[in-house]
Each structure stands twice: as C-alpha cells, then as structure tokens.
Amino acid sequence: MTDILTPRERFGLLVIDEKPDRCNTIPLITSHAASVRGMKLRDYYTNGENMARAQIAAIEKYGHDAISIFSEVGIIAEAMGTEFDYPENDLPIQRIPALEKKDINDIEIPVPTSDARLPVYLEAIEYAYDALGDRVPILAYIPAPFTTGMMLSEPNRFLIQTIKEPDHVKAVMEKSLAAAIELCYHAIDAGGLPIIVDPLASSSVISPRAYRQYALPYERKLVDFLHRYDLDVILHICGDTTPILDLLKETHADLISIDRVDLTDTIKKLSSTVRVIGNYDTSLLAFSSPEEIASGVRDMVKLSMQAPKGYIAATGCEVPIHAPFDNVMAFINAAKENGWYWD
Amino acid sequence: MLKNIDPQKISLKEWSRQFRLLDDSEIRRFKYYNNDEWGIYLSPPATFMVYGARELRKLKLDNSLAALRLWGFALNESERLFRARQSGKHIIATMGDLGTVPVIAMAFPDCIPFYPDCTWWTPFFNESTVLLDKASELGTPEASCFVRSTLAAFHKMAYFPKPDILFASTGASCDDYSCIMQMVEDMGFELNWLEIPFRRKKQDHFTDEKYARTPQGLDYPERFETYLINEYKHVWQRMQDLTNDGDPEKLGESIKKNNRLRRLVDQIKALTHGAKIAPFPALEMMVIEFGNLYGYADIDEWIDILEMVKSKIIDRVKSGNGVLDSDAIPLAWITPTADPLLLNIVEDLGGRVVATEYVINQALSEIEEDIDPFRALARSFMNASLIGSTEERIRHISAGVDSGRIAGVIITNMLGCSHCAMETRAIEKRLKNVPILAIDIPAPLGITEQIRTRIAAFIEMLK
Amino acid sequence: MVLGLDVGSSYTKGILFDGHVRNKIVLKTSFKPKLAVERAVNELRGYDRIVATGFGRDLVANADKTITEITAFAKGASHIEPSVRTIVDIGGQDSKIIKVKEERVDRFVMNDRCAAGTGNFIEKIAQALDLSLAEFGQLAVNADRAEIIDSLCVVMAETEILSLVAEGKRLEDIVAGVCEALVRRIDGIGSQIGIESPILFCGGGALNPGLIRAMKRIFGAVTIPEHPQFIGAIGAALSL
C-alpha cells in the first residue's frame, strides 16, 4: 500500500481521534540519526544544525513519521550546572552533578536561548521545522522534573534523599519543573511539539511510592502547562512501568509511550482514554535479524491496532546508536505494511 | 488580563509571552459546540504553528483577546468539523456559491455547512506545497488556480471529514473550481450540482426580458429568480431526505441569524474603515469577512466572537488608538490575497485597507426577511460578485475613490485564474482617477523582495 | 554631505553628494551585498548621513533613511533632467519604466518575472555568442540593419540566434536585433502606463551603445545622463 497522508496529516488525525491511512510509525530514532548521517556523536549533540540534518537524513532513509530532537536526558541539568564530558564517539557523560557543588537554592532557572546546550536543541528544532515542518511533526524531547533532578544529583544520594529529605527533593522538583516549562515554552515557539521523557522515574529505578510522591505530580504539572496551549502531550517512560501502569493515566498525558510492559495489559488499562505508543524491545533491533524483527513488529502492530484511542508503532526505548540500518528499516516496513486502517 | 495593553500587531513569540499571562479560567471560557472536553480553542499562534501553520512565524497578529479568540476559532476549523461528525452532526459541503446554500443547511438540526474550497488558503498558511503537488499528481494542471488544493484534500480526507452531502455550484461560477469539482465527482463523491446563471444587464438584444433589481441595486432578468428558487428547493429536498426533518419556519430563522452576522460584520467594517486610526488589522478583517460564508462551522460561537471584536474596536475608536499610524495611506483591495502575508506587508509598508472587494458580495449583503425565504435567497445571491460584469464588481470601490477616501487600489491576480487575467486590465481602465497596483500572487513562499519593493514604491508614490 | 547608496542586484553604486556628485564608486554586488555595502561605506568617506535604495537597501545597517529605487529614480532623474516624463531603467535582474510628474512618481511598471526584459537577456546572449559585454555593445553600433528576433524568452531567443548565425547573417546585425528585441519588450511593458517623451534612459543598460541605439530607433529622442548608473544613488541622496 502507498501512503496517502504525510506524517503531519497522519499525526493530526490520530490526535483528534480519527483513524489515519495507517498507524503512525515513530520508532525513537534519536542519536541513531548520527550513524545514518555518518556523523561523530559529539558533532551531533553539540551542534543544532548537525542534529537536525542527521534527523532529516534519517527521515529520508527510513520514511518514519516524526523528527526526534534529542540526545540525552541531561540537557536541562547541564544548563543548571551539572558538568558533562563530551566524548567524541559517545553521548555526554555526567562528571560533576550540580548539587554536589551548590545548594538547590543557589541554582538558577536556565535561559534556554543561552545556557549550556539548550540553544543547540532550539536551533535543531527550528532548522528541522524550517526544512520539513509542513509535512513532518517535530518532536522536542523534554526531560521531566524527576529525571532532571536525578541528573542534578549523585544518583544514589538522590534516591536516599527521596526517603530521608522530602523537602529537599521537592525543592529540586520545583526548580526542575520551572526549567522544563521554560524549555517547553521556547521549544514550542521554535516549532517543536514537546514530548516529556522521564526514564529515571520508571519502576526499574524507583519505587511506585516514590513515583507517586515525586515524579507523577510534576509530570502532571508539566502536562497541564502544555494543555494550556491545547497541545497533545506525549509522555515517554522507558524501562519497566508495570507497577505504575494505572497511575500513568493520572499524568493527564494524551499519548503514553511505554517500554517493558505487557502491551495487551496496557491497551486494556489505558487505551480507552489515551493513545498508546510502543513498545518493541530495542535490544532486538541491535541483535536480531530483519526477518525476526518483521515478524515481531507484525504481531505487535496487529495486536495494537485494536486500541480504541489509536496507536503509534514505536520502540520501547531509543533505537540503538549502532543498530544495523536493515533492522531499523525492517521495523518501519513491517509497521507500515501491517498497520493499515483504510480500505 | 490583556485589558490594558496598547493595540498593536505582534509576532508569534510576543503572543506566546502574552499568552503566559492568561488565567486558565480565561482559556477555558471559550468553546465551540459548547463542549468542555475538546471544544476549547483559545491557543496562542504558536500552537497552530507547531501543528503545521508555518506562516504564523511571519505574520503579525492583533494583540487583543478578541483577536486571539478569532484566530483560535478560525484555525481550529478542521478539528471542529471532525468533532462535529464524531458527535453525530451532519457535515454539509457547500461549494462555489459562497454564502447561500449554508443558510439553507443551517435550517436543519445538527447540520454543519462548510466550504471544502476554502482549503485554498491552506498552502499559504502552511507555507507548503503538499496539497498543490498532490493535486498536480491527481491530474490538475499546475497552471490552474490554487483552489486545486481542494482536490488533494478530498483525496486525503485529513482536512475535513467525509461530508454527508456535497452541493457544488456550476455555471457562472469560477471555471477552475468547477473542473476540480468534476474531478471530485469522478473520485466517487456524489455531487449535487446547482446551476448559477450569469447576471446579464439590460440590453437591447435581449428582447422581451423583464428585469428586477436587488436591494443593493443590481439588475437581473426576473426569471432567474424562479430558476434559482427551484435550485434551492432541490437543495432543501436533499437536506430533508438526509435529516427527515425540514421546517420552513426554520429557514426564516436561519436567514435572521445569518443577517445578524452580516449586520455585525457590516458594522465592524464601517467602524474600522471609517476610523481615523485603523483600530483593527486588515488580515483579521479579511478573516471576519470570510466568516460570513458559513460562520466557520459554528455560527453561534462566531457571532459571539464578533460581538467581542466589535466592542474591542469601539473601545479603540473611542480612545483614538489603533494598530497603524495615523498617516497610513488608505487603499482599496480587490480580490482576496490568497497569501495572508501580503496584507501584513502592505500595512508594514505604510498602507491601510479601507475598502475591499473579495468577490463575496453575496455573503455580505443582508437577505430580505419580509418575502418568501427561497425568493429572498435567490435575490440575495443575485448580488454575487462573480456572476456579473466587472463594472458592477467595482462599483462600490469607485464610490470610495470618488469620495476621496481611497488613495490607491491594489488588485491581487491569482495565478491560473482566467477571471483575474481578464479583469485586471478592465478594472484599471474603469478606475481612472486612482493609481492602481496589480500584484500577481506567487505560489506559497513566493513573496519576493521585488513584490515588496513594488508595494513599497506604490505607497511611497501615494504619500 | 550625503552618501547615496543604490544596492542593486548586480552592482552597488555609491555617491557622495552635496548638490553635486563629489565622489562615486561602483562595486559588483554578486551574492554578497553586505560586503559590497561595507566597502562602499568605507571607501566613500566624509559624509554626514546615508540614504539607501535598491533591492539590498535594508542591508545598510546605519542608513538614516531607505526608499525604494522607484522613488529614487524619479528624484534623481528629475534633478538631472527636470522636464523628464518617462524613465527607462534596464537593470541586471529587473527593469522599470517610471512615469514622472512634478518630480514625483506618477505610475510605474516593473518587469521582474522574466529575464527577457532585463539586462540579463543581453548577458545571456553575449555569453552564448562568446562576446564580452563591451564587444557586444560595439558590434551592435556597427550594424547595417537589425535582424528580427521574435522570441521573448531567453532560451528560445538563443536558439533563434544560433540559427541566424548558421544562416550566415552578420553578427553585427544579429546583435543589434537582440538589442531591439529587448527594447521592444520594454515598449510592450511600458504601454501599460504609456511611455511619453522626454525619456531618460538610465541604469546599467544605458552604458551599452547597442541598447542606446535601439532605444533611439524605437522611441526617437532619448536622453542619456552623464552617469546613468548613478541616478538611483543620486535620487536617494536627494530624498533627505
């Protein structure tokens, strides 16, 4: 079947509860785009034009349905003072967390147009929007407050603080929320649709109690801020979310992107009110064959097409940087072939 | 919020900054179809830009809450139509006649008329050739009018839902549009055609013809009334078949409601065009005029918005404030701009639009309420801009020129519009007493520095 | 002392003006208008204020005023030839015909869509014939007659000219024919507003003797100012 709609039109129908020609196919092709363009990772995440050009090259190669402006979840924390190393062929590595040097009260809310690599992100959004914004949605990944909080801290210490120093953690959350809102505000003006990512709030990292207490309220505040704009909000949490699946509805997100969770269960629990995104195991993209991927994706899509509020075929987590191109292509082709809604 | 700000046109980013100050309660106050869940439409321009309306990055819009409502509502139409269908309403496509068939459709319960041919604007708002390229692929010649994007929209079914009924006019209507509708029919859509007669003037070689005159003073052969009444009764019948309803009293009510809208727009135009300093921008004024065609698929909410716009304009006129300089050069504009950016540019360069002829006269004039409603509709349609001579079309522009209110006239020529190509010279000949600038509207993203220079030079010349 | 800058698409022209032209400069604009503006501003010193015109007028960051080239030409031409009624400017990328009344623009038309009515037409044909612009102009003056070239489109005209060459027609006559084809096009565009004498011919095109000859053949008397390229810059300087 040949596509009838552009990715922009397809996504537009999904978010107003209409069935598009076929299901949206948006594997999380983030830094993998650098490989597509044959670019060193450092060149990708330190230069907005490079990031956008890599994303555009990936769209041209694979024909998936959205641009993903993202490299790693530390961007807001970095702009708030966490120091990172920039290896040439790897993603930034956290060196000194901001809260190891400063008190949370001494940390300022970053200015997205000038602080750390936030301008890189904004430039990437704007460049991509200029180039393809009329036909492809530009997703701007925004780290949620909890994830930023972890990136501002020494992770183990922060986890202990969630139990022993709730006031400190709340202060960190408030500031991280303000920073995220500020970034969203600029990302929207640049043409990006914010997608909230909170991987460090998954049950692989924190308890459902800590999720409910610290992550959920701030995810919801961020979602509510975006709802003021009448934007459709995507929340992505990679890792295990089985224990908090029921709570995800309370974030008010319109589209929920899941990773290591049973898909049937998720559809049953969520999809009467939200659109489900997910959840092909990304490790398989790195290590299995195109044939295996095609068959796995077909089963996933066939099952998820039943979701009443609609579905986006995606990977549970980011597509591995060095995933073989044929494997990624196999995912996309299989999702397109099996995800047809129209006669 | 936004109460005590000086009127001006502001950029998308400035609107975003201003929008942050709005209370949630203010945002949730306005909704279409009175629906709380999906009917909220008050968003900053940035939202629509994020969803693809790319030209909003360049356009400067009025900074009032009333204007924000107007834009939110107009730009939300596509979603509104889908929501209408989802909530069980009938979607009635009314094409080509520009302002009469919707009045009939509104007389039926839960019927939402709209104009698929208004997809014409989309390539410009989106700065995109997606629809135009698709239309070419589907077989329309590249040199035809931008209305060909409608064909692509029917193919894609992503800009409006599949209509329950399609009415399309033909005859003395736009030729490219008619051809495109024939192609839509060939795509499998069932079209109900209405034939529109040409409003010929009284001339010796038409013997034995009795003539009548519209309240606006245009002559037409009287038998056209009977002819059009039949066409409209046909429309009525089809609507009755669809809805199992059809109360002739309701047609009178629909006429009254549409007249209320038309009067309101007339007042807004008079206030704006007559003010010493322009109280409202030309682009918003164009959106207001075109709303007369069908109330952007929720006429009640649209009327409410315009009431708010009107009181904002009254406030501004009273306080002597406006969005342009007091020495802006008064201009008349003939035929719609297609690319909204042109209106912004003309104002930025020192012009001010004080009269318009956007080829929708039939939707601007009031429908008579004291005669048979079908006859009233027929007589109202006889005011149509496109079905008569050029001379009649420019009559009210000439009146403005003669009274000295208009310093110059801008005519926009549509690429591929045979009508425009023929008419521009004729208009130039007839409007002898006033300088005229004709601009060929380029394809989306095609406004060049040279077009800007030409407009700038024209306005410098008039200063 | 005013610096008048006319940032055209092909050339940037600058003059120092205090009622008379005190100094002047012409620079190729190419695709680097900002660079040309910078050089002109640096090389013409001793001015108090700057007025910019031409397609790149908004690139002159420290301009005290900007006006369009249409208005500038009307002012400049009226200063040089107060009785002028029509200005014909054949520029690199566009040409303009401006009717003047009491030193102000009365009506104007521009050709900016198609190379056929601009200096670009001459440049393209000269290239195809492997001639420099100077050689082209000189050859045209030595023509006995002008060959008829009907095509208004550069691409079509090229084919037509090559076939004339193949037929053994004199190069001088062909080149003169090209000039006349261009001026006929100008005549066609100008007829929309009515070309009236006295006519002032300016812009880069007025440096080409072939075009001057063709202008005179078609319009009769045509005045060529002393510095035809600088009319816009002079008009800009005068507009303060």
Side-chain angles (χ1 to χ4, degrees):
Chain A
M1 294 281 235
T2 323
D3 284 355
I4 294 172
L5 304 179
T6 63
R8 164 76 70 203
E9 292 158 347
R10 190 170 293 121
F11 188 80
L13 285 182
L14 172 75
V15 295
I16 54 169
D17 303 316
E18 290 287 326
K19 294 268 182 286
D21 54 349
R22 61 164 173 80
C23 79
N24 281 265
T25 300
I26 312 180
L28 309 186
I29 296 175
T30 52
S31 306
H32 174 76
S35 308
V36 173
R37 184 133 170 114
M39 191 184 277
K40 291 200 171 79
L41 272 171
R42 188 164 61 200
D43 294 336
Y44 172 83
Y45 61 73
T46 57
N47 180 306
E49 187 177 324
N50 284 349
M51 191 183 279
R53 292 181 134 196
Q55 283 291 332
I56 293 165
I59 288 271
E60 280 166 2
K61 183 179 182 71
Y62 296 131
H64 52 296
D65 287 331
I67 293 257
S68 290
I69 300 299
F70 182 69
S71 64
E72 32 36 82
V73 291
I75 42 159
I76 292 181
E78 185 184 27
M80 294 168 87
T82 294
E83 290 177 33
F84 284 83
D85 285 329
Y86 297 161
E88 193 175 35
N89 280 312
D90 208 341
L91 291 171
I93 296 167
Q94 190 193 41
R95 189 152 50 89
I96 309 170
L99 291 173
E100 293 293 303
K101 300 179 292 183
K102 275 187 182 173
D103 187 82
I104 183 66
N105 296 316
D106 298 329
I107 288 178
E108 288 189 16
I109 293 164
V111 178
T113 49
S114 61
D115 290 351
R117 280 177 302 131
L118 298 181
V120 169
Y121 272 58
L122 296 179
E123 194 195 342
I125 295 166
E126 209 159 328
Y127 190 99
Y129 185 86
D130 250 341
L132 289 179
D134 63 325
R135 47 199 82 198
V136 182
I138 315 296
L139 303 181
Y141 288 48
I142 309 288
F146 192 84
T147 290
T148 296
M150 284 275 265
M151 299 303 292
L152 286 169
S153 317
E154 198 288 305
N156 286 324
R157 198 191 322 277
F158 192 66
L159 291 178
I160 293 165
Q161 284 167 332
T162 61
I163 300 164
K164 297 200 165 163
E165 297 174 53
D167 289 346
H168 166 77
V169 175
K170 278 193 178 144
V172 173
M173 289 298 102
E174 287 295 339
K175 205 150 261 183
S176 303
L177 172 69
I181 284 179
E182 207 55 40
L183 180 57
C184 280
Y185 171 66
H186 282 85
I188 294 165
D189 276 356
L193 177 66
I195 149 169
I196 301 169
V197 288
D198 212 356
L200 301 182
S202 82
S203 307
S204 316
V205 184
I206 59 169
S207 68
R209 181 197 57 79
Y211 175 77
R212 185 186 288 122
Q213 197 175 349
Y214 298 111
L216 170 64
Y218 294 93
E219 286 171 353
R220 184 165 56 216
K221 284 183 183 176
L222 195 49
V223 173
D224 287 347
F225 167 78
L226 294 168
H227 275 167
R228 273 173 58 88
Y229 279 76
D230 200 18
L231 293 168
D232 300 283
V233 187
I234 306 175
L235 172 67
H236 171 71
I237 303 183
C238 40
D240 183 12
T241 44
T242 311
I244 54 171
L245 205 49
D246 284 314
L247 290 174
L248 291 181
K249 270 189 201 173
E250 295 178 25
T251 62
H252 298 170
D254 306 282
L255 303 97
I256 289 181
S257 168
I258 45 142
D259 186 10
R260 270 171 249 146
V261 196
D262 181 65
L263 196 55
T264 316
D265 202 28
T266 309
I267 290 174
K268 208 161 80 194
K269 284 187 168 154
L270 298 182
S271 81
S272 62
T273 51
V274 300
R275 296 134 193 123
V276 175
I277 306 176
N279 71 339
Y280 193 72
D281 182 350
T282 42
S283 64
L284 296 175
L285 280 187
F287 301 118
S288 63
S289 69
E291 294 74 24
E292 285 167 304
I293 292 168
S295 129
V297 170
R298 185 190 60 222
D299 294 346
M300 172 182 82
V301 170
K302 289 276 178 213
L303 166 74
S304 311
M305 294 283 284
Q306 314 307 321
K309 277 285 252 189
Y311 167 70
I312 296 179
T315 46
C317 194
E318 291 176 81
V319 170
I321 292 165
H322 299 296
F325 300 148
D326 288 347
N327 284 4
V328 182
M329 204 67 241
F331 176 102
I332 288 160
N333 288 339
K336 287 183 178 179
E337 281 161 23
N338 296 289
W340 206 262
Y341 286 109
W342 289 1
D343 302 331
Chain B
M1 278 302 159
L2 311 188
K3 285 211 173 90
N4 299 315
I5 48 170
D6 287 337
Q8 57 173 321
K9 292 190 293 173
I10 58 174
S11 69
L12 175 135
K13 286 189 180 180
E14 287 167 313
W15 244 125
S16 293
R17 267 202 290 282
Q18 211 175 253
F19 190 81
R20 286 185 103 173
L21 306 174
L22 276 180
D23 288 340
D24 282 357
S25 60
E26 196 88 59
I27 296 170
R28 303 200 66 81
R29 203 174 112 202
F30 308 111
K31 48 209 169 210
Y32 58 83
Y33 303 148
N34 213 17
N35 182 291
D36 285 313
E37 190 199 336
W38 39 250
I40 308 290
Y41 60 83
L42 202 69
S43 320
T47 295
F48 299 101
M49 189 266 278
V50 162
Y51 285 114
R54 299 204 293 178
E55 198 170 61
L56 290 171
R57 288 177 303 171
K58 291 183 193 149
L59 296 176
K60 282 190 183 165
L61 309 180
D62 186 89
N63 65 346
S64 63
L65 184 63
L68 188 69
R69 255 186 101 183
L70 173 147
W71 281 110
F73 189 74
L75 292 169
N76 228 317
E77 182 183 315
S78 180
E79 176 174 352
R80 181 155 56 251
L81 290 167
F82 281 106
R83 294 301 187 193
R85 194 183 61 177
Q86 288 165 11
S87 55
K89 296 182 197 294
H90 300 294
I91 306 299
I92 316 297
T94 62
M95 295 169 287
D97 79 311
L98 305 178
T100 313
V101 178
V103 180
I104 302 176
M106 285 181 210
F108 289 83
D110 286 329
C111 285
I112 306 291
F114 81 109
Y115 279 92
D117 24 345
C118 285
T119 314
W120 193 71
W121 302 102
T122 308
F124 296 97
F125 272 109
N126 290 4
E127 290 187 334
S128 175
T129 59
V130 164
L131 287 170
L132 297 170
D133 292 346
K134 177 53 81 178
S136 304
E137 214 178 278
L138 294 170
T140 54
E142 306 231 335
S144 59
C145 166
F146 297 122
V147 78
R148 71 182 189 275
S149 49
T150 313
L151 182 69
F154 270 107
H155 173 74
K156 285 170 172 281
M157 278 297 136
Y159 294 80
F160 45 77
K162 188 165 186 265
D164 294 285
I165 301 190
L166 294 95
F167 295 106
S169 57
T170 184
S173 68
C174 153
D175 52 353
D176 283 13
Y177 141 82
S178 288
C179 297
I180 283 155
M181 286 310 134
Q182 286 171 19
M183 294 172 83
V184 169
E185 190 168 40
D186 287 345
M187 276 163 59
F189 292 90
E190 191 198 332
L191 259 71
N192 295 275
W193 294 96
L194 260 89
E195 192 165 330
I196 293 176
F198 175 68
R199 181 184 61 229
R200 59 171 181 263
K201 286 203 307 184
K202 212 169 194 165
Q203 269 161 344
D204 290 345
H205 50 274
F206 301 123
T207 49
D208 299 335
E209 188 89 274
K210 270 184 78 184
Y211 279 78
R213 179 168 288 184
T214 71
Q216 287 70 27
L218 292 166
D219 292 333
Y220 61 93
E222 201 175 59
R223 65 190 176 89
F224 286 3
E225 253 177 48
T226 330
Y227 181 81
L228 270 178
I229 288 169
N230 264 332
E231 293 293 281
Y232 292 146
K233 288 210 163 143
H234 198 67
V235 172
W236 181 267
Q237 188 59 50
R238 288 290 290 119
M239 291 295 302
Q240 228 171 359
D241 296 345
L242 175 77
T243 57
N244 290 318
D245 207 307
D247 176 359
E249 290 235 330
K250 292 268 166 56
L251 182 55
E253 285 167 27
S254 172
I255 288 174
K256 284 198 177 110
K257 187 183 276 182
N258 276 280
N259 276 345
R260 194 178 150 208
L261 171 62
R262 292 174 187 205
R263 272 195 300 276
L264 193 52
V265 169
D266 223 33
Q267 290 158 358
I268 289 174
K269 280 174 69 178
L271 279 164
T272 304
H273 295 159
K276 207 163 162 226
I277 297 176
F280 219 53
L283 178 53
E284 278 81 352
M285 288 300 292
M286 183 166 76
V287 175
I288 289 173
E289 279 199 43
F290 274 85
N292 270 26
L293 299 185
Y294 60 113
Y296 294 117
D298 180 353
I299 190 172
D300 296 311
E301 185 63 18
W302 181 240
I303 289 176
D304 200 57
I305 292 168
L306 292 189
E307 290 287 2
M308 189 173 180
V309 167
K310 186 179 135 189
S311 53
K312 175 51 70 181
I313 291 174
I314 289 174
D315 283 353
R316 288 178 177 181
V317 173
K318 268 190 195 153
S319 62
N321 279 325
V323 290
L324 302 178
D325 290 338
S326 57
D327 61 352
I329 303 293
L331 302 169
W333 201 294
I334 298 185
T335 65
T337 65
D339 196 331
L341 186 58
L342 273 178
L343 285 170
N344 254 221
I345 291 175
V346 164
E347 287 186 337
D348 288 348
L349 295 172
R352 171 185 175 189
V353 179
V354 296
T356 55
E357 208 305 303
Y358 288 151
V359 300
I360 52 167
N361 269 339
Q362 65 273 37
L364 301 176
S365 46
E366 273 187 61
I367 306 161
E368 291 155 283
E369 292 180 11
D370 49 357
I371 57 173
D372 169 71
F374 286 104
R375 184 165 167 244
L377 285 178
R379 281 170 56 75
S380 149
F381 188 75
M382 273 297 135
N383 285 312
S385 300
L386 280 175
I387 62 166
S389 67
T390 308
E391 201 178 311
E392 286 173 339
R393 224 188 116 201
I394 57 174
R395 191 185 288 175
H396 71 273
I397 300 282
S398 310
V401 170
D402 293 341
S403 70
R405 273 187 61 238
I406 291 165
V409 176
I410 294 185
I411 306 175
T412 30
N413 286 328
M414 226 65 64
L415 185 82
C417 175
S418 45
H419 208 75
C420 288
M422 305 293 174
E423 268 197 354
T424 300
R425 286 293 175 83
I427 295 172
E428 282 179 324
K429 267 189 197 155
R430 281 176 174 79
L431 293 175
K432 277 203 192 88
N433 305 330
V434 64
I436 291 176
L437 177 71
I439 309 169
D440 295 334
I441 295 169
L445 277 169
I447 294 180
T448 56
E449 195 47 47
Q450 274 132 338
I451 293 181
R452 239 175 236 276
T453 294
R454 237 182 295 167
I455 297 171
F458 184 66
I459 291 168
E460 279 173 356
M461 180 179 106
L462 300 176
K463 270 184 179 159
Chain C
M1 185 77 73
V2 181
L3 170 59
L5 271 180
D6 178 359
V7 189
S9 52
S10 301
Y11 292 94
T12 295
K13 287 80 67 176
I15 49 136
L16 283 180
F17 190 83
D18 60 358
H20 299 278
V21 177
R22 299 297 178 193
N23 199 355
K24 60 183 196 297
I25 191 170
V26 184
L27 298 160
K28 235 185 159 22
T29 309
S30 306
F31 291 102
K32 293 171 183 156
K34 271 191 176 162
L35 213 69
V37 168
E38 231 168 79
R39 269 194 59 194
V41 170
N42 287 332
E43 289 189 22
L44 295 175
R45 288 172 184 280
Y47 55 85
D48 311 303
R49 304 177 78 178
I50 305 178
V51 182
T53 185
F55 102 109
R57 61 189 176 279
D58 293 327
L59 298 173
V60 185
N62 46 348
D64 294 282
K65 186 178 176 181
T66 58
I67 56 169
T68 63
E69 50 272 37
I70 317 283
T71 310
F73 269 95
K75 283 201 190 297
S78 307
H79 175 76
I80 285 161
E81 180 57 63
S83 65
V84 66
R85 286 288 288 131
T86 309
I87 303 162
V88 175
D89 159 49
I90 301 182
Q93 299 301 321
D94 59 24
S95 28
K96 309 176 239 325
I97 299 132
I98 306 163
K99 288 274 287 286
V100 186
K101 207 174 182 178
E102 289 153 18
E103 301 189 9
R104 290 171 54 93
V105 180
D106 181 32
R107 301 186 72 182
F108 68 93
V109 276
M110 279 171 88
N111 167 54
D112 52 26
R113 274 297 181 79
C114 165
T118 73
N120 197 265
F121 183 67
I122 302 283
E123 281 185 33
K124 286 270 153 43
I125 302 293
Q127 260 172 27
L129 293 171
D130 202 15
L131 296 170
S132 72
L133 279 178
E135 288 166 340
F136 185 98
Q138 273 318 313
L139 276 174
V141 180
N142 296 327
D144 295 331
R145 55 187 290 257
E147 290 296 339
I148 303 286
I149 291 154
D150 286 323
S151 304
L152 287 176
C153 160
V154 177
V155 183
M156 302 297 284
E158 239 182 86
T159 319
E160 210 180 323
I161 289 159
L162 292 178
S163 73
L164 287 171
V165 173
E167 283 169 33
K169 302 285 186 194
R170 287 183 71 216
L171 195 56
E172 290 86 341
D173 300 347
I174 296 174
V175 164
V178 172
C179 293
E180 287 202 7
L182 171 52
V183 176
R184 275 203 308 276
R185 173 96 181 118
I186 295 286
D187 191 22
I189 302 165
S191 69
Q192 291 175 39
I193 56 171
I195 293 179
E196 286 175 45
S197 294
I199 298 169
L200 193 81
F201 179 28
C202 52
L207 296 172
N208 183 322
L211 278 178
I212 295 175
R213 189 175 130 142
M215 283 287 292
K216 288 184 173 164
R217 274 174 60 107
I218 290 174
F219 295 117
V222 171
T223 310
I224 317 293
E226 194 188 343
H227 307 297
Q229 257 183 309
F230 292 94
I231 302 300
I234 292 170
L238 279 163
S239 77
L240 261 187

